[in-house]
Amino acid sequence: RTEFFNFLHIFVKFCFTSLFDALPHCRKQVIESIVWASRHNDRNISEKGLKTLLAVLKNIESSANIQLSQAFYSEFLLDLIEDVFRILTDRIHKSGFKAQTNVLHHIFTITMRGKVKAPLFNVVRFNQIGMPIMQNMNNSTFVKLYVAKMVSTAFPNIAQQQVGEFVDGLMNVVRKDDEA
């Protein structure tokens, strides 16, 4: 398995555009394989998966094909947030904390800076977080609400005010990076 995930990392690094020449279901399988690697119990495979995922996100961000990048964000970004948070809160994956937070920081950064233009929210997503559809919603606000709902669901014993402060803290790190 290690060599397969090494191959995926090299593929993303050197043949990234080929990923989008593939059929949509093949592209989805590649992304799911990378996420699966990041969830792996073997530390080396997990870290390779996270590095590969970060490379995918950086390649998408720097892609000249805006339509392609926005389609990717629309299809995968919220699920990636969930997957990385699931890994982050799993005791088995403590050693990958830095890589996990790097991936989340990148996702939050591109969202808060408005680089994700395709709407991440729809009726299904609003239902998932238990909210009525809101007019004039933007991605950064929706991601904050989505993460808050995810955290409060996973940790029901934490007060909503603390969840809100935690999520605001996550997003403020992005703002402080912008100021630096």
Side-chain angles (χ1 to χ4, degrees), residues 23 40 57 60 69 72 94-95 102 116 126 143 147 152 156-157:
L23 296 172
H40 202 280
L57 291 167
I60 289 289
S69 63
F72 177 87
K94 287 180 189 178
S95 64
N102 284 339
V116 180
F126 273 107
V143 166
V147 170
S152 63
N157 55 332

Side-chain angles (χ1 to χ4, degrees), residues 115-170:
K115 293 184 178 185
V116 180
K117 307 243 185 268
L120 299 176
F121 46 89
N122 56 33
V123 173
V124 173
R125 293 295 188 182
F126 273 107
N127 287 338
Q128 283 179 329
I129 62 172
M131 287 183 56
I133 296 176
M134 299 170 62
Q135 299 299 322
N136 302 322
M137 176 62 66
N138 62 37
N139 285 331
S140 60
T141 302
F142 183 77
V143 166
K144 286 170 120 176
L145 294 170
Y146 195 79
V147 170
K149 178 63 176 180
M150 202 172 45
V151 170
S152 63
T153 300
F155 302 100
N157 55 332
I158 298 177
Q160 288 300 314
Q161 180 181 350
Q162 290 173 312
V163 170
E165 290 172 6
F166 172 74
V167 173
D168 286 341
L170 291 174

Side-chain angles (χ1 to χ4, degrees), residues 38-163:
S38 63
R39 282 191 237 146
H40 202 280
N41 290 343
D42 181 283
R43 177 182 179 178
N44 295 327
I45 293 174
S46 178
E47 289 181 10
K48 180 64 76 174
L50 289 163
K51 286 179 184 177
T52 305
L53 181 56
L54 186 57
V56 166
L57 291 167
K58 286 182 177 183
N59 284 337
I60 289 289
E61 179 187 10
S62 64
S63 172
N65 188 337
I66 303 221
Q67 184 179 10
L68 173 129
S69 63
Q70 297 307 311
F72 177 87
Y73 293 145
S74 182
E75 183 175 359
F76 294 109
L77 207 61
L78 291 176
D79 291 334
L80 292 175
I81 291 171
E82 282 186 51
D83 287 326
V84 176
F85 259 106
R86 194 171 296 121
I87 296 163
L88 182 69
T89 58
D90 182 353
R91 287 184 239 171
I92 296 171
H93 296 98
K94 287 180 189 178
S95 64
F97 183 76
K98 184 176 181 180
Q100 296 155 7
T101 56
N102 284 339
V103 170
L104 286 174
H105 183 265
H106 186 82
I107 292 171
F108 294 151
T109 299
I110 60 175
T111 305
M112 296 300 288
R113 290 183 179 161
K115 293 184 178 185
V116 180
K117 307 243 185 268
L120 299 176
F121 46 89
N122 56 33
V123 173
V124 173
R125 293 295 188 182
F126 273 107
N127 287 338
Q128 283 179 329
I129 62 172
M131 287 183 56
I133 296 176
M134 299 170 62
Q135 299 299 322
N136 302 322
M137 176 62 66
N138 62 37
N139 285 331
S140 60
T141 302
F142 183 77
V143 166
K144 286 170 120 176
L145 294 170
Y146 195 79
V147 170
K149 178 63 176 180
M150 202 172 45
V151 170
S152 63
T153 300
F155 302 100
N157 55 332
I158 298 177
Q160 288 300 314
Q161 180 181 350
Q162 290 173 312
V163 170

